[in-house]
Amino acid sequence: MAIPATELRIGQSVRYLIGTRTGMSAAITDITKSSLSIKNTLIVTLTFDDDSLPNHLKTQQLTVYNELLVGCEAIAF
């Protein structure tokens, strides 16, 4: 699954789909443009809702390539 970059919003709830945290819910807490890229590449920071995670594992950064955030899906309420 993927989310188009035009649909990304701070505070948006997503479900993470990579590795051992597959299925965990998170919120988008930051969206920045990558300073190391000529193209329109974004860095999205997710903060997981699970309070049992230690602080160093509560956030995860993902890179938006080709206008798609891959590795998570939007949660519809």
Side-chain angles (χ1 to χ4, degrees), residues 6 8-10 12-13 16 18 20 25 31 34-35 40 43-44 47 49 54-55 62 66-67 69-71 73:
T6 57
L8 297 174
R9 304 283 181 263
I10 300 289
Q12 181 178 7
S13 295
Y16 192 70
I18 301 171
T20 59
S25 62
I31 303 171
S34 174
S35 61
N40 189 20
I43 307 296
V44 175
T47 300
D49 300 331
N55 285 337
L62 296 175
N66 298 322
E67 299 294 320
L69 175 63
V70 178
E73 63 186 2

Side-chain angles (χ1 to χ4, degrees), residues 15-76:
R15 186 172 335 280
Y16 192 70
L17 301 173
I18 301 171
T20 59
R21 294 188 234 176
T22 294
M24 292 181 74
S25 62
I28 295 175
T29 52
D30 191 37
I31 303 171
T32 57
K33 185 174 180 185
S34 174
S35 61
L36 301 175
S37 176
I38 297 171
K39 296 181 181 179
N40 189 20
T41 303
L42 302 174
I43 307 296
V44 175
T45 302
L46 303 179
T47 300
F48 292 96
D49 300 331
D50 189 343
D51 289 333
S52 69
L53 291 172
N55 285 337
H56 69 283
L57 294 177
K58 284 194 178 195
T59 60
Q60 176 71 46
Q61 290 187 326
L62 296 175
T63 305
V64 177
Y65 292 110
N66 298 322
E67 299 294 320
L68 286 175
L69 175 63
V70 178
C72 52
E73 63 186 2
I75 297 175

